[in-house]
Amino acid sequence: METKTGAVGQIEQLLAQVAGRFTAEDDTEQQWLVDRCSPEAARLVPRLSVQALHLLDAVPVEGSINVVGLSRATGVPKGTVSKQVRRLVVAGALERHRLPDNLKEVHLRLAPVGAEIRQAHRSLHAEMEEGLRAFLHRYDEADLAVIARVLTDLERMPREGLRFRPDLLD
């Protein structure tokens, strides 16, 4: 039992570290974006958080979206989206407008510089995904099947309050 408990503790620690690596602000990633943007967009990139980049990514290239729709699309609370949207509008990455048939509701669309940053951000993710795929190809099919099973179970595990309930899986 001690070995299993130790392994579980190590996995918990590693999951937290891996999550941190994938969500932290990163100077190398920021520089990668800057290098792929026009001078106007490059000046804006250092002022954008990872969350702001992901919000830009959820704004349709054609058409528009409101704050509630952006909140739903990203899973970010509406208040946080509103705050980030204000910053993105001031920075010139998003534009506010009203629909002709609904003058009450404010919609958002990408400004040209926002569309450029969004495209650079998407290409960053494509580059990172390619690296992850190459990393995973180091493992044989049986190892990958175990990893996929564990991650699938983690993703779909029910919760009661703050507690995960593995006993409710299958």
Side-chain angles (χ1 to χ4, degrees):
M1 186 66 170
E2 187 62 29
T3 304
K4 190 172 188 175
T5 301
V8 167
Q10 182 182 15
I11 290 168
E12 287 173 337
Q13 203 171 24
L14 289 168
L15 282 172
Q17 290 169 346
V18 168
R21 277 190 85 183
F22 281 97
T23 58
E25 305 282 335
D26 185 298
D27 292 339
T28 304
E29 292 173 18
Q30 189 178 87
Q31 188 59 52
W32 199 92
L33 291 171
V34 165
D35 292 344
R36 279 145 189 84
C37 288
S38 68
E40 180 186 4
R43 282 190 294 277
L44 180 56
V45 168
R47 298 183 2 221
L48 300 179
S49 66
V50 170
Q51 186 176 61
L53 291 169
H54 288 149
L55 289 175
L56 279 179
D57 196 51
V59 176
V61 174
E62 299 293 325
S64 62
I65 193 168
N66 63 16
V67 169
V68 172
L70 197 52
S71 174
R72 285 186 188 134
T74 59
V76 175
K78 187 175 150 266
T80 304
V81 170
S82 293
K83 188 183 299 184
Q84 289 287 347
V85 161
R86 277 193 296 278
R87 291 178 183 151
L88 288 165
V89 168
V90 168
L94 286 179
E95 298 170 345
R96 287 187 174 120
H97 70 99
R98 296 186 192 281
L99 300 176
D101 59 336
N102 183 351
L103 298 177
K104 180 181 171 194
E105 191 174 345
V106 175
H107 275 246
L108 307 161
R109 64 178 157 230
L110 289 169
V113 71
E116 182 183 347
I117 292 168
R118 173 197 165 129
Q119 183 56 42
H121 182 241
R122 284 187 168 201
S123 66
L124 169 78
H125 277 276
E127 184 74 16
M128 292 173 80
E129 288 165 9
E130 187 177 315
L132 181 59
R133 274 191 295 281
F135 167 74
L136 290 172
H137 272 78
R138 299 174 52 208
Y139 298 93
D140 64 35
E141 287 181 38
D143 290 338
L144 292 171
V146 170
I147 293 167
R149 180 175 163 228
V150 168
L151 293 175
T152 299
D153 285 352
L154 275 172
E155 194 277 325
R156 64 185 193 89
M157 187 173 11
R159 280 177 53 166
E160 271 183 10
L162 298 176
R163 285 191 79 104
F164 285 101
R165 294 287 309 272
D167 57 308
L168 297 178
L169 284 171
D170 295 337

